Amino acid sequence: MNTQPLESHLQEAHRLALLGVARQSIALGLNEGHPLGVDPADYAPELREPRAAFVTLLEFGQLRGCIGHLEAMQPLVKDVAENAFAAAYRDPRFPPVTSRELDRLHIEISVLTPAIPLTFASEQELLAQIEPGLDGLILEEDFARGTFLPSVWSSLPDPVDFMRHLKRKAGLPEDYWSNRLRVSRYRTESFGEDASPS
């Protein structure tokens, strides 16, 4: 049985600190062209732990940038600083954020739990294990790879549709299946500016 650890909740003060770092990093990037340099030693132990995070930018409720890591590679506070800068200025789907947009941006952060591989022999078995609304999924085969954060369930609530779109994001046909397909699940702790944490 695949279980998912969910006991890594951040205190409100830590969430606010990360949101502040993200906004500072975007503002600094506008003027100096690089992310905020953070010294993890200046932050709480929880923010110094290696964790993976995504930073999502919204403008008038519409996606304006989203960049993150699936694996923990560096202290959480550093990951957030770098991903906030990248979401604002390096997301290839959007032009770089401008000074006029800065105050209109709404920042959201998703901190990921470690991904856990799922075991399945068919697509039906895979779909039966997925928990809509809670699971983020990573789909991989050879050079094909894609992920959807749990927030994507709000626009793709049906597991079959969710999986089809995830395959397409990974560069595979929607009806693709093979025994070499790998899927892992993770959860996120998500929070944003001036919004109720989830």
Side-chain angles (χ1 to χ4, degrees), residues 118-139:
L118 297 175
T119 303
F120 49 88
S122 67
E123 187 158 15
Q124 289 72 27
E125 280 188 23
L126 171 60
L127 291 171
Q129 296 181 57
I130 296 171
E131 294 190 56
L134 295 175
D135 288 341
L137 297 180
I138 304 166
L139 182 145

Side-chain angles (χ1 to χ4, degrees), residues 6-28:
L6 292 172
E7 305 305 318
S8 56
H9 295 299
L10 294 167
Q11 296 177 17
E12 184 66 14
H14 299 151
R15 293 178 170 198
L16 292 173
L18 290 174
L19 289 165
V21 163
R23 185 159 285 282
Q24 290 175 57
S25 195
I26 294 169
L28 184 74

